[in-house]
Amino acid sequence: MWTHDRLKPKNWKGQPARWRQVKFNGHRFTMFKQDDGTLVGFERETWSWLEMSKRHPGVVEYPWWQRCLERLPERSSVDGELYVPGGNAGSAAHAIAECSPELQFMAFAVPWWEGLNMQDRSLDYAHKQCEAIGLPFAEYDMIEPGATYESLCQQATERKIEGWVLKNLNYYQRWKCKPTKTVDLVVTGFVDGKGKYAGQVGSLCGSAWLDLPPGRKKPDWNDEWFHELAKVGGMDDATRADRSKV
């Protein structure tokens, strides 16, 4: 299977950046066109068990999937976001699990095109490639001289968007800038379901390391700095029924 490394943007700390691109509140998703013309897509990492059409076969019915299947050249990829208009990451998770009609795809980069690495091309180049195959591309414009983290966050709040991805190039040199900080959680257990989900998984327990002493790396799972912060759902019925997946 042909894939490539996916770069994760860091938080912006004032590095020189030319463009700002609207950040959508959903789940990052990359589609890869194979040598044989097949299309694969991964939600987070390029692990086979996360390949979207295997987990959620209904994804192949979406118009944006069909456009990439028909028009994306072989050995090309499009990086973007699965989202629900007006929703949040939780809305996207539910829409993905159920393959509901409101789930949309918004492209924001074209890392590879016809077997060539395009990561250092311009943002305009990526936009034109997506436009040519009928994919929407996340809005972008030039950053105003003298812009600060605070002013960009204020503008994001006023526009009611999650934030910005600041860029100099199509795929390299990218930084996140958003007014609300998020925390990655580790699944540390689950709560039994009730009602129609009795005997199945009701929700997942999410935990994180908090208030680590200076210089201390992540400790053991049962360390005193490891705290449960949330319980989350968004699973499909097949996952709820199979506890071995949790």
Side-chain angles (χ1 to χ4, degrees):
M1 181 183 295
W2 175 77
T3 59
H4 56 74
D5 291 338
R6 298 206 306 166
L7 304 181
K8 183 177 180 180
K10 305 293 185 180
N11 290 325
W12 189 54
K13 296 181 179 179
Q15 298 93 331
R18 183 181 182 188
W19 303 97
R20 62 176 187 180
Q21 189 171 31
V22 172
K23 189 178 190 306
F24 282 73
N25 196 355
H27 285 221
R28 186 175 174 187
F29 188 64
T30 309
M31 288 181 277
F32 303 85
K33 189 72 168 286
Q34 303 297 299
D35 291 328
D36 60 2
T38 58
L39 186 67
V40 296
F42 296 93
E43 235 185 295
R44 296 191 181 278
E45 303 292 345
T46 52
W47 299 331
S48 60
W49 62 274
L50 283 177
E51 208 283 296
M52 182 66 83
S53 65
K54 295 178 180 178
R55 296 177 60 223
H56 304 293
V59 72
V60 302
E61 302 297 329
Y62 285 107
W64 42 265
W65 180 279
Q66 288 296 319
R67 290 189 192 105
C68 278
L69 182 62
E70 296 169 2
R71 305 177 190 176
L72 187 66
E74 294 175 4
R75 293 186 69 82
S76 301
S77 64
V78 178
D79 206 2
E81 196 89 2
L82 292 176
Y83 75 105
V84 173
N88 53 31
S91 306
H94 282 283
I96 292 168
E98 303 297 332
C99 281
S100 53
E102 63 266 27
L103 185 67
Q104 301 291 325
F105 175 77
M106 179 63 69
F108 54 67
V110 177
W112 284 68
W113 197 263
E114 296 183 316
L116 298 177
N117 188 334
M118 299 295 173
Q119 298 179 7
D120 60 354
R121 291 294 186 95
S122 69
L123 204 55
D124 288 338
Y125 168 85
H127 183 197
K128 289 177 181 178
Q129 300 305 95
C130 287
E131 191 175 53
I133 61 175
L135 288 181
F137 195 76
E139 175 190 343
Y140 62 97
D141 58 14
M142 295 189 70
I143 300 173
E144 306 94 330
T148 63
Y149 187 91
E150 290 74 18
S151 67
L152 290 169
C153 286
Q154 179 62 33
Q155 290 167 9
T157 300
E158 292 171 354
R159 292 188 54 174
K160 298 181 180 180
I161 59 175
E162 187 191 13
W164 310 98
V165 175
L166 309 185
K167 294 182 172 184
N168 282 315
L169 302 168
N170 168 33
Y171 202 61
Y172 284 139
Q173 299 180 355
R174 301 183 302 144
W175 302 276
K176 293 183 295 185
C177 178
K178 56 183 186 178
T180 302
K181 292 185 178 181
T182 56
V183 177
D184 291 331
L185 301 181
V186 177
V187 175
T188 50
F190 64 87
V191 178
D192 289 329
K194 298 180 181 179
K196 72 173 185 177
Y197 296 126
Q200 302 179 19
V201 177
S203 59
L204 303 177
C205 302
S207 303
W209 289 277
L210 300 177
D211 302 322
L212 290 177
R216 179 71 182 271
K217 294 183 178 180
K218 292 180 180 179
D220 296 331
W221 300 104
N222 295 321
D223 201 292
E224 62 183 298
W225 292 285
F226 200 53
H227 301 277
E228 181 179 308
L229 298 180
K231 292 181 174 65
V232 297
M235 297 163 282
D236 57 27
D237 289 347
T239 302
R240 290 181 184 276
D242 187 355
R243 294 180 181 226
S244 66
K245 291 183 180 180
V246 179

